[in-house]
Amino acid sequence: MSSAAFGVGVQVIVHRGRTRFPDSLIDDPIGVIVAAGESEGASLYAPAVAREKFWVVRFEEPFFGLGGSGPHDSARIPQSFLEAAPEA
């Protein structure tokens, strides 16, 4: 999905990383982007070559993480975990 689809005020679905909890049937939370986060580089031993955009998302309802953390009202989420919510 292009980054043009994201911005403050966009309703999004936050896809949780399920590698540690592949059998979880908990729905992914829905929220609204309330602010832009900073881009961060991804590199261990060399200068960062890839930068990922982050967004601050406020959730419709507080939710608990798959590992039991929370409840969370908002979070800073990498764009790769976001999907624009379908229009109602």
Side-chain angles (χ1 to χ4, degrees), residues 24-62:
S24 175
L25 299 177
I26 297 173
D27 289 336
D28 290 326
I30 295 174
V32 174
I33 295 175
V34 295
E38 295 180 18
S39 296
E40 289 188 1
S43 177
L44 294 175
Y45 302 107
V49 293
R51 298 184 71 78
E52 181 161 17
K53 180 78 173 173
F54 280 73
W55 297 96
V56 178
V57 176
R58 178 160 305 278
F59 300 103
E60 289 182 343
E61 298 179 12

Side-chain angles (χ1 to χ4, degrees), residues 16-26 65-69:
R16 304 178 203 220
R18 295 182 188 266
T19 54
R20 290 182 34 218
F21 306 96
D23 298 328
S24 175
L25 299 177
I26 297 173
L66 296 176
S69 66

